[in-house]
Amino acid sequence: MVSASTVHIDLWGRDEECDAIRRLLDREDGGALLFHGPPGSGRSALLAYARRWAGERAVLAGAGLADEATLPYAGLHRLLDPVLDADTALPVRQRRLLRRALGGDGCPAEQRLALAAAVRSLLAAAAADRPLLCTVDDLDIGDPQSAWTLAVVARRLRRLPVAMLLTATAPATVDGVPAHRLRPLDAHECHAMLAGLRERPPAAVATALAALSRGSPAALADLAGTLTPVQWRGEAPLPGTPPVDGTLAAAYRARLDLLPEPTRRLVLLAALDPGDDPATLVRAAWAAGLTVEALAPAEAAGLLRTGPGGVTFPHPLARTMITAVAPLADLRTAHLLLAGTLAEGALGRALRHAIAADCPADTLAAELSAAVDEVPDRAAAAVVLRRAAELSPDPGRAAELTIAAARCAWTAGDPDQARGLLRRLTAGPAHSRADLLRGEMQLRCDAPAAAVATLLAAADVVAPTDRRAALLALVRAGEAICVTGDQYRYAEVARRAEALRRPGDPPDLDLLATFATGVGATLRGDHARGGPALRRVVVLGGRLTGPSLTPGALVCAAAAALLVAVDGPAHRLAGRAVEVARARGELSLLPRALELRAVAEYWLGRHEAAAETAREGVRAARATGQHVCAQVHLGILAVLAAVRADRDAALARIAEIGDGAAPGSRPDAYARWALGVLDLIDGRYADAVARLSALARTGTGRGQVLVQVMATPYLVEAAAHDGGRPAAALAVFDHWASSTASPSRRALAARCRALLAPRGGPEAEREFHAALRLHPADTDRFERARTELLFGRELRRRRRPRDARAHLHRAREAFTLLGATVWAERAGEELRAAGESVGPVRRGPEQLLTGQQLHIARLVAEGATNREIATRMCLSTRTVDHHLRNVFHRLGVRSRTELARLLS
């Protein structure tokens, strides 16, 4: 018998299960609980927790063992051995039956229930002096006779002072007992667990390990125990899978070893074939002389599930671990069987050539390139290319195939798989192409500063043989430079791109080189050279066809259009990039294309559309593991909320960005812009000037120059109130606006000049009139209304109330139609100060809800579940339910659909 332990046990993400254990142990009568989940989900830790909380209870601990699975009642014997002496209290018949079964003589089928009754009586006798706790781990691994008997007993403990806790892979192991499924840990819980196992790792390492473990506590513990100090600090690459000699791998081996040999072969085939077509597995099984019925034992053991849609695994890490523990010969056999099912189509032909030893490398490369371009399902292409790499006899060819597979995985939105594939590579000629992909993932996911050096070095290496790849790497490096706020370094990108230009280049190469040189000129203020180059990029982007029509090229054209302030074409090009990315399955480019579309919609004055695009961008970025892009979209949402004077929503978005955004980066700049706008609205003009002036250091090329240009109208407005004059920032904005053909930019420049002109003089009125003439009538209604409000306020302060009222009425009407309630109220206040009697503005959701309620409502409108909202906002699901009921009541809606419709 085991004594209750007093050792402290840390459990993460298992609060509900721990509460259930404590409630059971606090009861005077008996009962049972079953905890089920895949290997490594923390079932054993919960039993240890229960023994820790057993208090005065005596403890019996047992576990199913694979080595004893063929020995009837072996598990029961190990559990009851400490209390067998108490069988003297049993009736003679029960005692003899129990002794016979535990002595190895078995139990006749017709006496199995009597045996279970004898076990129950023995537990009751053992609990006569003090209550008893029985814990049985891995019930489904041991002998089935013990499992059946304990299940019968577990259902009959109500009147005894006996608590029983059981664990298994599948709930079907024990029917009729309250069951708790152990879910994967979320990102926050993974980070907390890692910090508890070792010293807290860097955020990027913790995030990578959380993704690698897929929320498995055992995987996290195995990884934390095997990483070197250099890997733990993020200074060396992380492994691609949990260690094959860890506890999680051992757990999967134990379960697989219990399966019949045909079942193990078919489970490996299912793990290697993550495609959506069940026919692939059926054909591969048929070729191996198997049928899908052979999966039945694996399904009964809880390792997988079968259905009309094919085979699914209960935990996302199951496929990885099943393939990781498989013998090498079995792996190759399974790969070859699956390869045979791809006999049709270009990918199948390319795969068979990759397997062959005599296929010329250039022929294979051409076939693979054409085959991958032909298939929009990049995830399927990644599977095929990975399989080809594993089967290729040539190490160099295997490396090329692995890189191609990693690129397809990244393009399909799975950076974790892509990193895992790249980690398989050793140093060699293909390393530079791997760096091209690593740099792009660093840019979008977690390390844009490191991406600059990675991409520039890779571009140098591949330039002699592949100018297209080199130019694309330079463009990506330039984007990383802009994200990090080191625009002065763009001159190097532009110089290298110009050196790669050749007469007669095809349109896509011409577009990339011209874009880099145009952006470089624009960032150094040479709009005379940058403007024409970028306009040429816009024209080239609109003419792309065939293979040249790629999301990457369209993204460049859209970015160029924004830099020369042609907002309509920018919006069309960014929208086209979104469409092409989705059609081609290039999900990795969706967040960037959506970012540009949102910025174009901001300039067009379509703030609601921009917010919806940015919300879509957040979802796309999070779904594809692009944390930096998600922060950028959150920053855009913060700015849009602040511009519309929605303080709570802006602060909520800034809180979502958190501390993860590097100082001076684009997400950080968007957050500070939003805070500066809120300072301006609240009358803290000096604070607003300080925040917005610090976005960039004019003339040095450091800081977020492009974000500060967008924020300059607010900086100037705050400075006008504060008595300052941001001459340098206004000069940059004015120079840029005058170089464009955009009436809206020139209108904003005129408004800025009006605000800084001498108060009461003719220059201010002249510039305000010029701004109103320039504001387009069909777009940019919000900024036009802001100009009307500022002009009306200026006229009222100059004691011209009659002239002021016309402008203020137009401003109030426009703000009301746009749903900008706070600004409409500001216009109303000015009208009342000008002697006009106006009523209150109709209140919208922003005024009826608290900041937290509005944030929850918007997440619901985005399609998030209550559990997802709770995880994202670090709340309990009960708190989210409470807030959501109040939201429904205050807004008068009765369903999530009505709420989404109202907020749209």
Side-chain angles (χ1 to χ4, degrees):
M1 194 173 297
V2 180
S3 299
S5 170
T6 58
V7 177
H8 178 70
I9 296 174
D10 284 321
L11 288 174
W12 295 270
R14 298 290 181 253
D15 292 346
E16 293 181 7
E17 292 79 7
C18 290
D19 288 343
I21 289 172
R22 290 195 297 271
R23 286 195 300 270
L24 176 63
L25 295 177
D26 289 342
R27 285 164 46 177
E28 293 184 1
D29 59 350
L33 293 173
L34 170 69
F35 298 107
H36 66 93
S41 54
R43 298 171 303 181
S44 301
L46 281 170
L47 297 189
Y49 176 85
R51 292 191 289 269
R52 158 71 176 82
W53 281 93
E56 296 300 320
R57 289 178 181 265
V59 177
L60 291 178
L65 297 178
D67 289 344
E68 298 181 353
T70 58
L71 303 177
Y73 301 107
L76 197 60
H77 183 277
R78 294 178 67 247
L79 175 69
L80 299 179
D81 185 64
V83 294
L84 279 179
D85 291 343
D87 68 351
T88 56
L90 273 60
V92 174
R93 184 179 177 185
Q94 285 190 346
R95 184 168 65 250
R96 288 177 179 173
L97 184 61
L98 182 62
R99 290 280 184 178
R100 178 182 175 185
L102 299 185
D105 293 331
C107 178
E110 67 274 10
Q111 293 187 335
R112 292 168 64 197
L113 183 58
L115 176 62
V119 172
R120 180 182 182 276
S121 298
L122 180 64
L123 294 177
D129 295 331
R130 55 175 176 156
L132 182 65
L133 168 65
C134 296
T135 66
V136 184
D137 202 5
D138 294 329
L139 187 65
D140 50 342
I141 286 185
D143 64 278
Q145 294 84 1
S146 294
W148 187 89
T149 304
L150 288 170
V152 173
V153 173
R155 292 189 285 267
R156 291 165 172 80
L157 295 175
R158 176 65 64 181
R159 298 178 183 176
L160 300 181
V162 178
M164 184 175 289
L165 298 177
L166 309 171
T167 74
T169 304
T173 306
V174 183
D175 292 328
V177 172
H180 293 257
R181 180 181 178 275
L182 303 185
R183 60 173 178 81
L185 304 184
D186 61 31
H188 296 295
E189 293 160 350
C190 288
H191 286 214
M193 180 175 174
L194 288 169
L197 294 171
R198 290 173 61 169
E199 62 176 309
R200 185 179 296 276
V205 173
T207 300
L209 291 176
L212 190 59
S213 72
R214 302 296 184 97
S216 166
L220 271 182
D222 287 345
L223 288 163
T226 56
L227 291 189
T228 65
V230 176
Q231 288 176 313
W232 191 257
R233 294 193 299 269
E235 298 168 2
L238 297 175
T241 61
V244 295
D245 57 350
T247 57
L248 182 61
Y252 272 97
R253 280 196 193 92
R255 281 157 178 78
L256 291 169
D257 288 344
L258 291 175
L259 301 176
E261 190 271 340
T263 302
R264 287 200 303 272
R265 292 167 59 196
L266 197 50
V267 167
L268 181 57
L269 283 170
L272 288 170
D273 179 46
D276 295 329
D277 185 8
T280 300
L281 181 60
V282 173
R283 291 196 299 270
W286 182 264
L290 304 171
T291 63
V292 292
E293 285 74 16
L295 289 173
E299 187 167 17
L303 282 172
L304 50 76
R305 291 187 291 268
T306 60
V311 175
T312 58
F313 289 83
H315 191 275
L317 203 59
R319 292 182 188 273
T320 301
M321 298 312 300
I322 290 170
T323 56
V325 302
L328 185 59
D330 292 352
L331 269 177
R332 182 169 179 81
T333 300
H335 277 303
L336 288 169
L337 285 169
L338 287 168
T341 67
L342 298 169
E344 301 299 325
L347 274 178
R349 290 191 298 273
L351 175 59
R352 290 195 301 278
H353 286 163
I355 298 170
D358 57 350
C359 177
D362 54 349
T363 302
L364 174 65
E367 280 200 11
L368 283 173
S369 177
V372 170
D373 287 341
E374 179 183 303
V375 179
D377 188 349
R378 299 306 168 109
V383 172
V384 172
L385 292 168
R386 186 193 70 209
R387 194 168 296 138
E390 291 165 340
L391 292 170
S392 176
D394 178 10
R397 180 178 299 174
E400 292 287 351
L401 290 166
T402 300
I403 294 171
R407 178 159 291 283
C408 284
W410 160 245
T411 303
D414 191 349
D416 295 330
Q417 183 187 356
R419 292 190 190 98
L421 288 165
L422 293 180
R423 281 193 285 266
R424 299 181 182 183
L425 298 173
T426 57
H431 199 269
S432 58
R433 291 197 174 274
D435 281 344
L436 293 174
L437 180 54
R438 285 193 186 96
E440 186 175 344
M441 290 193 292
Q442 288 171 336
L443 162 63
R444 309 273 187 223
C445 297
D446 49 18
V452 178
T454 303
L455 290 166
L456 289 178
D460 279 346
V461 176
V462 302
T465 56
D466 191 342
R467 286 192 300 122
R468 179 177 283 101
L471 282 169
L472 192 56
L474 289 174
V475 168
R476 297 275 188 269
E479 184 183 342
I481 285 169
C482 292
V483 169
T484 56
D486 295 327
Q487 276 89 342
Y488 70 94
R489 298 183 62 185
Y490 208 104
E492 179 185 359
V493 171
R495 178 183 57 77
R496 293 190 187 191
E498 186 63 31
L500 290 175
R501 188 194 296 274
R502 300 288 184 272
D505 272 343
D508 55 338
L509 265 69
D510 189 12
L511 183 149
L512 292 172
T514 306
F515 175 78
T517 55
V519 173
T522 298
L523 289 176
R524 66 175 181 266
D526 188 357
H527 300 300
R529 292 187 61 187
L534 294 174
R535 291 186 189 93
R536 174 173 169 74
V537 172
V538 176
V539 173
L540 288 171
R543 294 176 179 174
L544 293 173
T545 58
S548 298
L549 182 62
T550 64
L554 290 168
V555 160
C556 289
L562 287 172
L563 287 173
V564 292
V566 283
D567 304 323
H571 188 255
R572 288 192 295 273
L573 288 164
R576 182 70 173 135
V578 171
E579 294 172 4
V580 174
R582 286 188 173 131
R584 292 166 59 102
E586 298 189 26
L587 303 183
S588 61
L589 272 172
L590 262 182
R592 173 63 173 160
L594 289 166
E595 175 195 345
L596 295 172
R597 192 173 80 181
V599 173
E601 287 164 343
Y602 167 83
W603 281 118
L604 289 167
R606 305 174 190 171
H607 290 182
E608 287 300 328
E612 179 55 39
T613 297
R615 286 191 288 268
E616 185 181 354
V618 171
R619 294 192 294 269
R622 286 174 171 164
T624 54
Q626 299 186 38
H627 308 298
V628 173
C629 289
Q631 289 177 334
V632 169
H633 281 284
L634 289 170
I636 292 173
L637 286 168
V639 169
L640 289 167
V643 164
R644 298 174 73 82
D646 187 347
R647 163 176 289 279
D648 292 335
L651 294 178
R653 293 304 188 179
I654 292 170
E656 280 194 76
I657 295 173
D659 298 332
S665 65
R666 185 176 293 165
D668 176 67
Y670 276 133
R672 286 189 286 149
W673 177 10
L675 291 171
V677 173
L678 293 178
D679 287 336
L680 169 64
I681 291 169
D682 292 342
R684 295 188 298 273
Y685 304 119
D687 292 341
V689 170
R691 286 190 200 275
L692 299 176
S693 298
L695 292 177
R697 294 187 288 280
T698 307
T700 67
R702 297 180 184 273
Q704 290 295 327
V705 177
L706 299 178
V707 176
Q708 189 180 62
V709 166
M710 296 176 70
T712 295
Y714 294 92
L715 169 60
V716 169
E717 185 176 343
H721 281 286
D722 195 45
R725 186 177 180 85
L730 178 57
V732 170
F733 183 85
D734 211 353
H735 182 43
W736 171 65
S738 63
S739 74
T740 72
S742 168
S744 64
R745 305 305 191 279
R746 296 186 176 192
L748 291 174
R751 187 176 83 194
C752 289
R753 293 193 296 270
L755 289 170
L756 296 179
R759 181 65 56 84
E763 181 184 352
E765 187 168 351
R766 184 172 62 252
E767 294 290 358
F768 270 124
H769 280 300
L772 291 173
R773 284 196 305 271
L774 286 166
H775 276 302
D778 55 340
T779 61
D780 203 19
R781 290 181 297 163
F782 181 82
E783 290 299 342
R784 182 183 183 89
R786 293 259 297 122
T787 301
E788 296 272 20
L789 173 59
L790 292 169
F791 191 17
R793 185 181 65 188
E794 172 68 15
L795 291 171
R796 180 189 64 77
R797 290 178 177 177
R798 290 166 59 181
R799 299 183 179 180
R800 294 169 57 186
R802 179 176 298 179
D803 295 335
R805 286 196 288 268
H807 295 288
L808 295 172
H809 270 299
R810 285 193 291 267
R812 184 172 185 268
E813 180 181 352
F815 287 137
T816 302
L817 291 174
L818 291 171
T821 309
V822 172
W823 288 111
E825 290 174 349
R826 291 285 174 92
E829 292 169 3
E830 289 291 336
L831 276 169
R832 284 187 285 274
E836 186 88 4
S837 177
V838 293
V841 179
R842 181 178 177 273
R843 303 177 74 198
E846 292 83 356
Q847 288 72 47
L848 294 171
L849 302 178
T850 67
Q852 196 165 48
Q853 289 171 346
L854 185 61
H855 191 193
I856 289 172
R858 284 175 170 156
L859 290 174
V860 169
E862 293 171 11
T865 65
N866 286 12
R867 180 177 286 277
E868 290 169 342
I869 295 170
T871 300
R872 194 177 302 181
M873 297 183 66
C874 299
L875 301 172
S876 70
T877 52
R878 184 176 299 176
T879 301
V880 174
D881 291 339
H882 172 74
H883 282 308
L884 198 52
R885 285 194 296 272
N886 288 336
V887 168
F888 280 20
H889 175 72
R890 292 189 179 192
L891 297 184
V893 298
R894 293 177 294 178
S895 69
R896 301 169 88 94
T897 302
E898 288 185 24
L899 177 60
R901 188 179 300 119
L902 177 65
L903 292 180
S904 66

